[in-house]
Amino acid sequence: MATFLYRLGRASFRRRWLVTGVWAALLIVLGIGAVGLSGQLTNAVTIPGTEAQRAIDHLKSTFPEAGIGGGTARVAIAAPEGQTFTDPANKAAVERVVAAIENAPEVARVTDPFKTRAVSPDGTVALVQVGYDQQAFALTDADRAGLEKAARSGESAGLTVELGGDATRAAPATGATEILGVLVAALVLVITFGSLLAAGLPLLTALVGVGVGMAGITTASGFLELNANTPVLALMIGLAVGIDYALFIVSRYRNELARGLDHERAAARAVGTAGSAVVFAGLTVIVALAGLTVVGIPFLGEMGVAAAITVAVAVLIAITLLPAVLGFAGDRVRGARIRGLNGGPKPGRTSMGERWARLVARRRVSALVIALLGLGLLAVPAASMQLGLPNDANAAPDSSQHKAYELVSKGFGPGANGPLTVVVDTSGSANPQDAVQQTVRRIEALGVAGTTPPQHNRAGDTTLLTVIPRTGPSDAATEDLVGKIRAAGGTLHDTTGAEISVTGQTAANIDVSAKLAGAMIPYLALIVGLAFLLLMLVFRSVIVPLKATLGFLASVAATFGAVVAVFQWGWLAGALGVESTGPIMSMLPILLIGVLFGLAMDYQVFLVTRMREEYVHGAPAGEAMVAGFRHGARVVVAAALIMTSVFAGFVLAQDSLIQSIGFALAVGVAVDAFVVRMTIVPAVMSLLGKRAWWLPRWLDRLLPNVDVEGEKLTEPPREERPVPVPV
């Protein structure tokens, strides 16, 4: 591996114009494709095979006029202060709003609250239901603006109008706040290298990689149905790993120049040694992200594959475009160009990383105990994690969606915000009418807030019942109610022959959350197992990969605890700009496991490969650990600060899922880098000594030698060795 990458780095350095031209051409072609071929991203969250989804698929063929599965909106209208809708003027104003909504773009169905009896008992709140034939993600900004304009026409008559529902929510997008993370990353790079040019190279190549990845995803959206969070995740990961991979190689390049190598050989050796670590670090991230495809959740698989491709692009750029750019930079990339910054310790002085490693080695037991206790304390809130999908209750308090939720809750109870749709398939029933009546009685006996009159399809073999729970859509009692209705459906099928199923947005969210929770442990086992094998191949050790994976599990537990404390309990929510709290997004844990595992292994590979390099070159185990920190700690700290900064920039986003992902990844990277890799790793390596590198002989013979540490580069490659001249 090291020899191959050495030659690749040297070839890229020599043919820098060609390599740069190829990447520039690819970026231009994909950019043109993104402009001309892009499609609509989806914010729908569906999982084939769940009961809610099967019911929707059934209704599309038997009861299409019901529009189940399309976008929905709720328009909550409140009468003027001190008045009710018994006033003819207020009633007429609501009817004008209904008529205006009927003419709004793409609207397929609108209910009249006076005909459906959707007026609160005190007469102060009316609820208008709006339905679309197409899914919410397919609606344009113009469609949403048309609905809002029509609905708010009632405000001129003194009515209070608020809109909620999935049809009112636009797809998440990135904004200027995320640039703050990049600016902090640039500052860290300048401090690390002491040179604007050296600091600019990782940013430049990372932006090229992100540009290629994002343009490719945007182009693919014209041919595939991609989740709206797919480009956001790819942007997060692409920026972070792109900067970090380039940082690692540029740092090694400068070290090789300091040893006296010429620019071409320094670039080749940097790619051959640090580039090997980058390749395997990238592989762990790709394995973790691509592994999302095997958990049976399509939208997560799409997000994982897109992010994995972006990481692969970042790796390719680091080992090809970066050495080409180093060829253009010449000697200007070496040495400090900013007064007061020298990019490292002065000659003859011990580096901070070495001093830290020796301190931890002397106090290894105390350091290990304190670090583990801290992680355990931070992980405590994770035991109270409650999973769910976003609804209007979780929207920002000043948003129309949240205000609509509050109005509906006030007028009709919180359950009206999450009605359940019960499908009664009577095609196999001898007495369809009796089957429906028995179903209604059984559901009402469960203690629901109410049911609406049954709706029958034209064929008379499918009936819809709308059930209003007593509790809100995210409440555990609502989930229990769905389970009870489904259990009762089994009994009703035995007695009436009718098939009973529960669907609707609330039931679908419950099914999705259950599926995601169930997939977490198998997915964790999959990626940990695969990555363990990969790390064993890299480090030729059983203990080091085991320690790495156990440390990762501790990092994940601590990160989950921090996420629960902020986004569920509300601790520090105001300081972090988190406007609403509630259940943790159900997709977050499994997504966090995949992404954080890959990124955590980055630091493991970056730091421990240098230890391994020193060890195989003859250093004692203890000194190899210290030497690894001497050479790698500064870069790992800089990389962790960069990743944390990039992810933290997304905490300022408007979308709650993006906020929680950004926060979780920022905390996870900081905890893993500074507590696990920078404290627990040296403490354990010091305790174990040379036993850390133990590998059974039979396994040593089976595993191929990939030479990540560049052992074969201790001598010049064959083509660079001096040729004997006969005399």
Coordinates of all heavy atoms in Angstrom, one line a residue, residues 133-170:
D133 N -52.9 15.7 -3.5 CA -52.7 14.4 -4.1 C -51.2 14.0 -4.2 O -50.9 12.9 -4.1 CB -53.2 14.4 -5.6 CG -54.8 14.4 -5.6 OD1 -55.4 13.9 -4.6 OD2 -55.4 14.8 -6.6
Q134 N -50.3 15.0 -4.3 CA -48.9 14.7 -4.3 C -48.3 14.8 -2.9 O -48.9 15.5 -2.0 CB -48.2 15.6 -5.3 CG -48.4 17.1 -5.0 CD -47.8 18.0 -6.1 OE1 -46.8 17.7 -6.6 NE2 -48.6 19.0 -6.5
Q135 N -47.2 14.2 -2.7 CA -46.6 14.2 -1.4 C -46.0 15.6 -1.1 O -45.8 16.4 -2.0 CB -45.5 13.2 -1.3 CG -46.0 11.7 -1.3 CD -44.8 10.7 -1.1 OE1 -43.9 10.7 -2.0 NE2 -44.9 9.9 -0.1
A136 N -45.9 15.9 0.2 CA -45.5 17.2 0.7 C -44.2 17.7 0.0 O -44.0 18.9 -0.3 CB -45.4 17.3 2.2
F137 N -43.2 16.8 -0.1 CA -41.9 17.2 -0.6 C -42.0 17.7 -2.1 O -41.1 18.4 -2.5 CB -40.9 16.0 -0.5 CG -41.1 14.9 -1.5 CD1 -40.6 15.0 -2.8 CD2 -41.8 13.8 -1.1 CE1 -40.8 14.0 -3.7 CE2 -42.0 12.8 -2.0 CZ -41.5 12.8 -3.3
A138 N -43.0 17.2 -2.8 CA -43.2 17.6 -4.2 C -43.7 19.0 -4.4 O -43.7 19.6 -5.5 CB -44.0 16.6 -5.0
L139 N -44.3 19.6 -3.3 CA -44.8 21.0 -3.4 C -43.7 22.0 -3.4 O -42.6 21.8 -2.8 CB -45.7 21.2 -2.1 CG -46.9 20.3 -1.9 CD1 -47.6 20.6 -0.6 CD2 -47.9 20.5 -3.1
T140 N -43.9 23.0 -4.2 CA -42.9 24.0 -4.4 C -43.1 25.1 -3.4 O -44.1 25.2 -2.7 CB -42.9 24.6 -5.8 OG1 -44.2 25.3 -6.0 CG2 -42.8 23.5 -6.9
D141 N -42.1 26.0 -3.3 CA -42.3 27.2 -2.4 C -43.5 28.0 -2.9 O -44.2 28.6 -2.0 CB -41.0 28.0 -2.5 CG -39.8 27.3 -1.8 OD1 -40.1 26.4 -1.0 OD2 -38.7 27.7 -2.1
A142 N -43.7 28.1 -4.2 CA -44.9 28.8 -4.7 C -46.2 28.2 -4.2 O -47.1 28.9 -3.9 CB -44.8 28.9 -6.2
D143 N -46.2 26.9 -4.2 CA -47.4 26.2 -3.7 C -47.7 26.5 -2.3 O -48.8 26.8 -1.9 CB -47.3 24.7 -3.9 CG -47.2 24.3 -5.4 OD1 -47.7 25.0 -6.2 OD2 -46.6 23.2 -5.6
R144 N -46.6 26.5 -1.4 CA -46.8 26.8 0.0 C -47.2 28.2 0.2 O -48.0 28.5 1.1 CB -45.5 26.4 0.7 CG -45.3 24.9 0.9 CD -44.1 24.6 1.8 NE -42.9 24.8 1.0 CZ -42.3 23.8 0.3 NH1 -42.8 22.6 0.3 NH2 -41.2 24.1 -0.4
A145 N -46.6 29.1 -0.6 CA -46.9 30.5 -0.5 C -48.3 30.8 -0.9 O -49.0 31.6 -0.3 CB -45.9 31.3 -1.4
G146 N -48.8 30.1 -1.9 CA -50.2 30.2 -2.3 C -51.2 29.8 -1.2 O -52.2 30.4 -1.0
L147 N -50.9 28.7 -0.5 CA -51.7 28.2 0.6 C -51.7 29.2 1.7 O -52.8 29.6 2.2 CB -51.2 26.9 1.1 CG -51.9 26.4 2.3 CD1 -53.4 26.1 2.1 CD2 -51.2 25.1 2.8
E148 N -50.6 29.7 2.0 CA -50.5 30.7 3.1 C -51.2 32.0 2.8 O -51.9 32.5 3.7 CB -49.0 31.0 3.5 CG -48.9 31.9 4.7 CD -47.5 31.9 5.3 OE1 -46.7 31.2 4.8 OE2 -47.3 32.6 6.3
K149 N -51.1 32.5 1.6 CA -51.8 33.7 1.2 C -53.3 33.5 1.3 O -54.0 34.4 1.8 CB -51.4 34.1 -0.2 CG -52.1 35.4 -0.7 CD -51.6 35.7 -2.1 CE -52.3 37.0 -2.6 NZ -51.9 37.3 -4.0
A150 N -53.8 32.4 0.8 CA -55.2 32.1 0.8 C -55.7 32.0 2.3 O -56.8 32.6 2.6 CB -55.5 30.8 0.1
A151 N -55.0 31.3 3.1 CA -55.4 31.1 4.5 C -55.4 32.4 5.3 O -56.3 32.7 6.0 CB -54.5 30.1 5.2
R152 N -54.4 33.2 5.1 CA -54.2 34.4 5.9 C -55.1 35.6 5.3 O -55.2 36.7 5.9 CB -52.8 34.9 5.9 CG -51.9 33.9 6.6 CD -50.6 34.5 7.0 NE -49.7 33.6 7.7 CZ -49.8 33.2 9.0 NH1 -50.8 33.8 9.7 NH2 -49.0 32.3 9.5
S153 N -55.9 35.3 4.3 CA -56.8 36.3 3.8 C -57.9 36.5 4.9 O -58.5 37.6 4.9 CB -57.5 35.8 2.6 OG -58.3 34.6 2.8
G154 N -58.1 35.6 5.8 CA -59.0 35.8 6.9 C -58.6 36.7 8.0 O -59.4 37.2 8.8
E155 N -57.3 37.1 8.0 CA -56.8 38.0 9.0 C -57.4 39.4 8.8 O -57.5 40.2 9.8 CB -55.3 38.1 9.0 CG -54.6 36.7 9.5 CD -53.1 36.8 9.4 OE1 -52.6 37.7 8.7 OE2 -52.5 35.9 10.0
S156 N -57.8 39.7 7.6 CA -58.3 41.1 7.3 C -59.7 41.2 8.0 O -60.2 42.3 8.2 CB -58.5 41.3 5.8 OG -59.3 40.3 5.2
A157 N -60.3 40.1 8.3 CA -61.6 40.1 9.0 C -61.4 40.0 10.5 O -62.4 39.8 11.3 CB -62.5 39.0 8.5
G158 N -60.2 40.0 11.0 CA -59.9 40.0 12.4 C -59.7 38.6 13.0 O -59.5 38.4 14.2
L159 N -59.7 37.6 12.1 CA -59.4 36.2 12.5 C -57.9 36.0 12.8 O -57.1 36.6 12.1 CB -59.9 35.2 11.5 CG -61.4 35.3 11.1 CD1 -61.7 34.3 10.0 CD2 -62.3 35.1 12.3
T160 N -57.6 35.1 13.7 CA -56.2 34.6 13.8 C -56.0 33.3 13.1 O -56.8 32.4 13.3 CB -55.9 34.4 15.3 OG1 -56.1 35.6 16.0 CG2 -54.5 33.9 15.5
V161 N -55.1 33.3 12.2 CA -54.9 32.1 11.3 C -53.5 31.6 11.4 O -52.5 32.4 11.3 CB -55.2 32.5 9.8 CG1 -55.0 31.3 8.9 CG2 -56.6 33.1 9.6
E162 N -53.3 30.3 11.7 CA -52.0 29.7 11.7 C -52.1 28.4 10.9 O -53.1 27.7 10.9 CB -51.6 29.4 13.2 CG -51.5 30.6 14.1 CD -50.5 31.6 13.7 OE1 -49.6 31.3 12.8 OE2 -50.5 32.7 14.2
L163 N -50.9 28.0 10.3 CA -50.9 26.8 9.5 C -49.9 25.8 10.0 O -48.8 26.2 10.4 CB -50.5 27.2 8.0 CG -51.5 28.1 7.2 CD1 -51.3 29.6 7.5 CD2 -51.3 27.9 5.7
G164 N -50.3 24.5 9.9 CA -49.4 23.5 10.3 C -49.5 22.3 9.3 O -50.2 22.4 8.3
G165 N -48.8 21.2 9.6 CA -48.9 20.0 8.7 C -47.6 19.9 7.9 O -46.9 20.9 7.7
D166 N -47.4 18.7 7.3 CA -46.2 18.5 6.6 C -46.1 19.3 5.3 O -45.1 19.6 4.8 CB -46.0 17.0 6.3 CG -47.1 16.4 5.5 OD1 -48.1 17.1 5.2 OD2 -47.0 15.2 5.1
A167 N -47.3 19.7 4.7 CA -47.3 20.5 3.5 C -46.8 21.9 3.7 O -46.5 22.6 2.7 CB -48.7 20.5 2.9
T168 N -46.7 22.3 4.9 CA -46.2 23.7 5.2 C -44.8 23.8 5.5 O -44.2 24.9 5.6 CB -47.0 24.3 6.4 OG1 -46.7 23.6 7.6 CG2 -48.5 24.2 6.2
R169 N -44.1 22.6 5.5 CA -42.7 22.6 5.9 C -41.8 22.5 4.7 O -42.0 21.5 3.9 CB -42.4 21.5 6.9 CG -43.0 21.6 8.2 CD -42.4 20.7 9.2 NE -42.8 19.3 9.0 CZ -43.9 18.7 9.5 NH1 -44.7 19.4 10.3 NH2 -44.2 17.4 9.2
A170 N -40.9 23.4 4.5 CA -40.0 23.4 3.3 C -38.9 22.4 3.6 O -38.6 22.1 4.8 CB -39.5 24.8 3.0

